Amino acid sequence: MEGGGGRPSAAQAVLLVASTAVTALLYSVYRQKARVARGLEGARRVRLDGDLRAVLLEAPGRCVPYAVIEGVVRSVKETLSSQFVENCKGVVQRLTLQEHKMVWNRTTHLWNDYEKVIHQRTNTAPFELGPAEEGAGGVAVRVLKPLEAAELSLETVYEKFHPSVQSFTDAIGHYISGERPKGIQETEQMLRVGTALTGVGELVLDASTIKLQPPKQAMPYYLSTSDFHSLLQRQEASARFWKTLTVLFGFATCAILFLVLRKQYRHHLERRQLRQMEEEFRQAQERLLREVKAEGGETLKNACVVCLSNPKACVFLECGHVCSCHQCYQALPQPRKCPICRQGISRVVPLYNS
């Protein structure tokens, strides 16, 4: 995986960039989840009693930006009746038709399940959250824009699967086309009157009406059948999950970065050692040149360029340089390269001086 010189290879660079990008993305998701969990933990819990109106009158702008209320669903005017279940009343109704079929995957050569919503309609009726006991002297809170809630708990009150009826010719055609219809699933979901609900959002006092609506802050709006403690635990668990993923990918990114930096450091040490060897070689040549000039001989002309003491005794092929004695040739690191041109040595011919 190592590239030339001290630079990281293309695979290392791509891996480092991808790991960094994934870590940043996971950290962004974690921060969002952690912010939601902290917001829920800091939300003000209010009770549906006679003191609620006074609390809102004292609040700035008659508003609690993020509040938690727990109450029972009550209709304001009319209710919605189930199309399939008798005496089933609600304030939110969702009717769904979903197609089920098998699709041939040409890559894996397997039939895969495929689901598609072909029709969905949602009906709503005005409703409010009130205390569990009618005569408890509490107040009711009007719930606005329930379909904008990040978590809207609907109960499935009716579900039926209508299988497809196929003839023999239809079955052959479906095998050829790569799609085999299984049938249509019909589902009805409702938020029923009397359901205990936990609402988290902005609580405002408008004239004489107390309203729960989506918060103006970038915080989620909840209408959940879970109690507040369970809702908070789910958000905290989600934040911990994304934090764990972020830490794991962060460690992976640091490991890749460490390998790249270690490679560059090793290359730096090798270059420094090479410079030292070149400097020692230059000094040795200068020293030998001074000695030869002092003696007036021809020793330098035939001296090995490596040890500068033994005579040259090898012809390197294919480059043709005559520059080394036999002992220094044997000491060259594998794969052996010519000390002059750094070309690979394919074979060596002895040099015979007459």
Side-chain angles (χ1 to χ4, degrees), residues 83-306:
Q83 294 187 4
F84 306 98
V85 182
E86 294 184 1
N87 300 322
C88 182
K89 304 290 184 180
V91 292
V92 179
Q93 179 189 48
R94 179 171 293 162
L95 301 169
T96 306
L97 290 178
Q98 192 174 41
E99 179 186 15
H100 292 256
K101 60 182 178 181
M102 303 287 287
V103 177
W104 177 254
N105 190 315
R106 290 180 172 82
T107 303
T108 61
H109 299 284
L110 295 173
W111 289 96
N112 298 327
D113 288 322
Y114 178 78
E115 300 175 359
K116 178 183 177 182
V117 175
I118 56 179
H119 178 72
Q120 188 175 78
R121 185 176 81 248
T122 303
N123 304 317
T124 61
F127 71 98
E128 61 187 15
L129 294 179
E133 299 179 4
E134 290 282 352
V139 297
V141 174
R142 179 76 61 87
V143 178
L144 304 181
K145 301 179 181 179
L147 299 184
E148 295 185 14
E151 182 177 329
L152 176 61
S153 300
L154 300 179
E155 177 187 355
T156 300
V157 297
Y158 176 81
E159 188 174 21
K160 186 175 181 179
F161 184 76
H162 303 276
S164 299
V165 179
Q166 304 178 25
S167 64
F168 179 73
T169 55
D170 291 336
I172 295 177
H174 294 151
Y175 271 99
I176 295 175
S177 65
E179 293 187 0
R180 293 164 48 192
K182 296 173 63 177
I184 302 295
Q185 183 171 346
E186 192 175 16
T187 306
E188 182 182 25
Q189 297 173 297
M190 297 190 73
L191 178 59
R192 302 175 66 171
V193 174
T195 301
L197 208 63
T198 300
V200 184
E202 185 181 63
L203 202 61
V204 296
L205 176 61
D206 185 7
S208 60
T209 305
I210 303 176
K211 299 178 180 179
L212 180 69
Q213 60 188 17
K216 294 183 176 64
Q217 313 168 3
M219 293 296 292
Y221 181 38
Y222 293 102
L223 294 172
S224 174
T225 53
S226 303
D227 59 85
F228 175 70
H229 182 67
S230 300
L231 188 63
L232 179 59
Q233 279 189 329
R234 284 205 307 272
Q235 297 303 319
E236 290 176 340
S238 177
R240 286 193 299 269
F241 171 76
W242 288 102
K243 181 180 181 180
T244 302
L245 285 182
T246 304
V247 171
L248 291 177
F249 273 86
F251 275 124
T253 303
C254 292
I256 297 171
L257 183 60
F258 171 75
L259 292 176
V260 171
L261 293 178
R262 187 183 69 168
K263 176 185 174 182
Q264 292 183 335
Y265 177 69
R266 291 174 61 183
H267 178 70
H268 171 72
L269 291 180
E270 291 174 358
R271 291 187 60 183
R272 186 173 65 178
Q273 184 178 5
L274 181 60
R275 285 195 298 269
Q276 291 177 350
M277 292 176 61
E278 291 175 348
E279 180 63 22
E280 292 174 358
F281 179 72
R282 186 186 62 80
Q283 293 176 359
Q285 281 187 322
E286 292 178 352
R287 185 171 59 253
L288 181 61
L289 181 61
R290 289 194 299 268
E291 293 175 356
V292 169
K293 286 183 178 180
E295 296 176 359
E298 295 291 331
T299 308
L300 183 61
K301 181 178 178 181
N302 296 321
C304 171
V305 299
V306 179

Side-chain angles (χ1 to χ4, degrees), residues 57-92:
L57 286 172
E58 295 176 359
R62 297 185 177 184
C63 168
V64 178
Y66 210 46
V68 180
I69 59 173
E70 295 178 338
V72 173
V73 174
R74 297 178 183 174
S75 61
V76 175
K77 296 178 182 178
E78 73 281 354
T79 58
L80 302 173
S81 300
S82 170
Q83 294 187 4
F84 306 98
V85 182
E86 294 184 1
N87 300 322
C88 182
K89 304 290 184 180
V91 292
V92 179

